[in-house]
Amino acid sequence: MNRKNPAAERSSATLLDDTSKRIIEHLQQDGRRPYSTIGQAVGLSEAAVRQRVQRLSDAGVIQIVAVSDPMQVGLFRQAMIAINVDGPLEPVADALAELAEIDYVIICAGRFDVLCEAVCEDDAALLDLISNRIRTLPGVRNAETLMYLKLRKQSYQWGTR
């Protein structure tokens, strides 16, 4: 989904006919599924599936990536950081999005203004990120850190509804 450009997000919705939605659902189940297999399931040729996937990717509707287990690649500390902001929210969210350790940033309503997920090597790296790089950003009033103890579910198969 195109999180930076709402107009692009709206225009990409026009690309999503039922066949494109079914292609996306197949890729959410297995991003390595052969286009020929998807084509058989949705009634298109392999080339037609390849073209649709490319258009969906170019439009920012989908990304096809490998999702690793952070613990398996040496990133042993994960946390959600809930931030309150003084002033405009978007400059803070944009600055957070630029930090390598931050993999997820949302502007939200409710008790907090911005939520972000951090994935770090260890507690020292998380402390440095929070103390020296997040809390010092202009506009950050406070940050509450919720450290992950155990991951029970993580899914990327929400379909296209």
Side-chain angles (χ1 to χ4, degrees):
M1 194 179 308
N2 193 328
R3 299 202 191 285
K4 289 257 186 188
N5 187 342
E9 189 173 318
R10 282 190 300 275
S11 68
S12 66
T14 61
L15 297 173
L16 293 179
D17 61 7
D18 288 339
T19 302
S20 291
K21 289 179 179 182
R22 290 178 58 208
I23 290 169
I24 291 169
E25 289 168 356
H26 280 273
L27 290 170
Q28 285 180 337
Q29 292 169 9
D30 180 358
R32 297 179 305 158
R33 185 168 289 164
Y35 293 154
S36 59
T37 303
I38 296 171
Q40 289 173 354
V42 302
L44 293 176
S45 69
E46 177 181 351
V49 171
R50 184 179 315 284
Q51 289 174 346
R52 281 189 185 235
V53 169
Q54 189 62 53
R55 280 197 321 257
L56 291 166
S57 179
D58 290 347
V61 176
I62 63 171
Q63 277 183 344
I64 300 173
V65 299
V67 179
S68 63
D69 176 349
M71 304 273 290
Q72 298 289 328
V73 296
L75 300 170
F76 297 105
R77 178 54 67 206
Q78 297 177 8
M80 183 65 64
I81 304 167
I83 300 168
N84 289 110
V85 174
D86 288 324
L89 305 179
E90 290 188 359
V92 173
D94 290 344
L96 291 166
E98 295 297 319
L99 299 173
E101 298 88 348
I102 303 296
D103 67 358
Y104 183 79
V105 179
I106 59 170
I107 295 173
C108 54
R111 181 174 165 200
F112 300 104
D113 298 316
V114 178
L115 295 175
C116 63
E117 182 180 60
V119 181
C120 299
E121 292 178 11
D122 53 28
D123 289 340
L126 179 61
L127 177 61
D128 177 66
L129 175 69
I130 295 166
S131 291
N132 300 320
R133 298 185 14 228
I134 292 177
R135 290 183 187 256
T136 60
L137 288 173
V140 170
R141 182 177 350 124
N142 61 39
E144 183 174 329
T145 304
L146 306 148
M147 294 197 335
Y148 297 2
L149 299 177
K150 187 173 187 178
L151 179 64
R152 296 298 293 181
K153 179 181 181 179
Q154 184 172 23
S155 174
Y156 299 97
Q157 296 181 4
W158 49 78
T160 56
R161 293 182 202 134

